[in-house]
Amino acid sequence: MVFLKGCPLRCLWCANPESQGFGAELTDSPSKCIGCAACIPVCPHNCIALDASSRSVDFSRCDHCGECVQHCHAKALQMAGENKTPEEVVEVVLRDKAYYARSGGGVTFSGGEPLSQPDFLLDAARRCKNADIHVTIETCGCGDFARFAPVLEYVDLVFFDLKCADPERHKTLTGLSNEKILQNLSAIDATVPEIVIRIPIIPGCNDDDDNLQALAAIIRPLRSVKQVELMTYHALGEPKYAMLGRTYELRGVQPPSAAIMEYCVALMNSSLEGSGKVCFYEKA
């Protein structure tokens, strides 16, 4: 798995908020702090404060320069993200080439949104294919097709996320309409050999019958799609929001039960009947 930073969407349930911004970002784990205060004098913007009970970071003033990280002995302050060239990334990927050959696996470029870095992705994917490594991309489909289209020549499999069929609800839940996403899905479907559609099931957001049936109608005519995977919502990424000084908007939302997931799978399979596509979900 290669995670590229930067994503145009802001899905309310995003489990990797540290991958949304394009640059490296400061993260704070106060529970690891040993109170040495070495980080305070080196911060150029006086973002860090320490009192008798705790240490805090004012993220509104932080420019993520990373100076404090260099002096944090307990590694409570760390940077999420680093600059790498495609050559450097692929050099790491190639270390496990023998394992990919034995397992039938390969490399998956994820994020964030890998299509938001089309030049980097093209270089890295080409290097992997030239080394006979299977290439998968995991995408929300939001990008400029003219810019990322050359990448698809080197892609064997696409995991494509769909959230909502209705463009206005999609905008409410993710920050953007799905118009370009659906256009890109159609274009990618005509280009790559295999697509797996992934639909996160988010209680109270997109788990209603109307949305699932509308998504099935979008999926039915796609030639490269044979599988649809429903992804069970989880809140495992919630602590990361506090580490970034942000608020998790779906706090308190509980994962759907197995019964609900099975109902959604049955509904999708009924709606996809006759299309040759199969819907499933990974049981815990």
Side-chain angles (χ1 to χ4, degrees):
M1 292 290 292
V2 177
F3 293 93
L4 305 186
K5 277 177 62 64
C7 182
L9 300 186
R10 292 296 181 268
C11 301
L12 297 181
W13 53 87
C14 179
N16 296 310
E18 76 281 7
S19 71
Q20 292 177 351
F22 283 89
E25 298 173 85
L26 179 69
T27 66
D28 178 24
S29 300
S31 62
K32 296 181 180 179
C33 179
I34 59 176
C36 69
C39 57
I40 295 177
V42 300
C43 178
H45 302 294
N46 298 313
C47 300
I48 307 173
L50 177 69
D51 58 29
S53 61
S54 65
R55 194 247 318 118
S56 62
V57 176
D58 184 350
F59 281 94
S60 67
R61 292 153 59 189
C62 177
D63 66 358
H64 305 279
C65 69
E67 285 295 323
C68 58
V69 174
Q70 305 304 316
H71 295 79
C72 183
H73 308 302
K75 297 187 178 181
L77 298 168
Q78 297 193 63
M79 298 301 292
E82 57 184 342
N83 292 320
K84 294 286 186 182
T85 66
E87 184 177 15
E88 289 172 325
V89 168
V90 174
E91 189 277 327
V92 176
V93 170
L94 288 174
R95 294 174 190 172
D96 292 319
K97 184 178 179 181
Y99 172 71
Y100 310 145
R102 291 195 302 270
S103 67
V107 60
T108 298
F109 292 97
S110 186
E113 173 47 65
L115 299 183
S116 290
Q117 297 194 47
D119 296 333
F120 181 101
L121 184 59
L122 174 60
D123 192 341
R126 182 192 291 122
R127 289 173 184 270
C128 288
K129 288 304 295 179
N130 288 342
D132 295 321
I133 294 176
H134 185 281
V135 175
T136 297
I137 59 172
E138 189 173 30
T139 177
C140 69
C142 192
D144 184 345
F145 183 78
R147 288 201 63 202
F148 71 70
V151 174
L152 301 178
E153 178 183 348
Y154 304 98
V155 173
D156 300 292
L157 171 64
V158 175
F159 287 118
F160 197 107
D161 290 350
L162 286 180
K163 284 87 170 176
C164 285
D166 179 75
E168 288 303 315
R169 182 161 32 153
H170 194 280
K171 185 174 182 178
T172 298
L173 295 174
T174 73
L176 291 176
S177 169
N178 63 356
E179 181 178 1
K180 180 178 287 189
I181 290 171
L182 296 181
Q183 291 173 354
N184 286 339
L185 174 58
S186 179
I188 292 172
D189 179 65
T191 308
V192 302
E194 184 178 2
I195 299 174
V196 174
I197 297 292
R198 284 178 165 172
I199 303 172
I201 301 299
I202 318 298
C205 294
N206 71 338
D207 58 340
D208 56 284
D209 290 12
D210 288 345
N211 181 57
L212 293 177
Q213 289 172 328
L215 289 176
I218 292 170
I219 295 167
R220 279 185 63 87
L222 300 176
R223 69 168 185 86
S224 296
V225 176
K226 302 302 179 186
Q227 295 186 3
V228 179
E229 182 177 5
L230 303 189
M231 312 292 288
T232 306
Y233 165 77
H234 63 76
L236 297 178
E238 182 173 350
K240 296 181 181 180
Y241 287 79
M243 293 171 65
L244 294 164
R246 294 166 54 183
T247 300
Y248 185 65
E249 299 294 339
L250 296 187
R251 187 173 183 180
V253 173
Q254 298 299 309
S257 66
I260 290 175
M261 292 301 296
E262 289 167 4
Y263 172 82
C264 291
V265 166
L267 179 64
M268 287 294 293
N269 277 322
S270 174
S271 301
L272 292 169
E273 189 174 4
S275 68
K277 299 169 175 54
V278 177
C279 180
F280 65 98
Y281 87 101
E282 293 290 343
K283 299 180 180 179

